[in-house]
Amino acid sequence: MAPIHDHPGEQTAQDPIRLLEIRDTPLSVDEIFRAVGDDAAGGTALFVGTVRNHDGGQDVGALGYSCHPSAQDEMRRVAEKVVADYPVRALAAVHRVGELVVGDLAVVVAVSCPHRAEAFAACRKLIDDLKHEVPIWKHQRFSDGTEEWVGAC
C-alpha cells in the first residue's frame, strides 16, 4: 500500500540512500549530517562510533579495521532494508578501514525521518545491522602484547 501524504513536502525522496562508503581516510560527522539533510524531516539521528582506549578490561594499544570485498554491497543491502522498514527521508553510513588510534571515528551513520522516534529507531537499526551483517573486522592489539579479532562474520 502506498503511503498517504497530506502535504506535498512529505512525498518520498527519489533515493533516500545519500551516502554509503567504506574509506581509509578520516571520517567527518559534518559530512554525514549534511548528507541526510531534508526539509521534510522533523528528526535526524546520528551515531558516531569511536576507538576507545580499552576493551574487555585490557588497554588497547593499536587497532585496525579490514573488510571483505563484498562489504560495500552488504552495506547497501542493510541500508535498503532500513529504508524499506522505516519512513526514511535520507540515510548515510560511512565506515573506516585501516589503522586507527584512540579517539578516531570508526563509523558514522545518520538517518532523517519525519519524526524523532522514527529517526532514533531507524538509526539504531542501521548501526546494529551494519555491525552484525557487514563483513568488517576489527583487529585489536593490546598493550600486553595479546591481540584479538572482533566481528569476524
Side-chain angles (χ1 to χ4, degrees):
M1 175 188 301
I4 298 171
H5 302 291
D6 294 332
H7 185 276
E10 293 180 74
Q11 294 178 7
T12 305
Q14 189 169 357
D15 184 4
I17 300 173
R18 305 276 176 85
L19 175 62
L20 287 178
E21 288 187 12
I22 296 171
R23 296 182 181 163
D24 61 1
T25 57
L27 307 183
S28 163
V29 171
D30 290 339
E31 176 191 18
I32 297 354
F33 183 70
R34 280 191 308 272
V36 297
D38 189 288
D39 289 344
T44 299
L46 184 114
F47 173 81
V48 179
T50 57
V51 176
R52 64 180 176 265
N53 65 1
H54 68 282
D55 191 29
Q58 296 185 34
D59 292 333
V60 172
L63 183 145
Y65 282 95
S66 59
C67 68
H68 188 272
S70 69
Q72 186 78 34
D73 291 337
E74 288 302 306
M75 186 181 272
R76 174 155 291 276
R77 185 187 59 74
V78 165
E80 288 172 348
K81 178 85 168 93
V82 171
V83 167
D85 292 347
Y86 296 89
V88 172
R89 299 294 307 172
L91 177 150
V94 181
H95 202 296
R96 183 135 177 230
V97 293
E99 295 300 310
L100 285 77
V101 299
V102 171
D104 279 350
L105 306 184
V107 60
V108 181
V109 302
V111 177
S112 62
C113 292
H115 305 283
R116 76 175 170 274
E118 300 158 341
F120 278 126
C123 189
R124 178 164 196 137
K125 180 73 171 160
L126 177 60
I127 188 59
D128 287 351
D129 288 359
L130 189 150
K131 296 306 280 182
H132 289 101
E133 298 179 26
V134 178
I136 297 174
W137 308 292
K138 177 170 53 173
H139 184 208
Q140 297 186 117
R141 293 172 297 283
F142 301 105
S143 58
D144 68 2
T146 60
E147 58 185 49
E148 170 185 54
W149 284 93
V150 180
C153 300

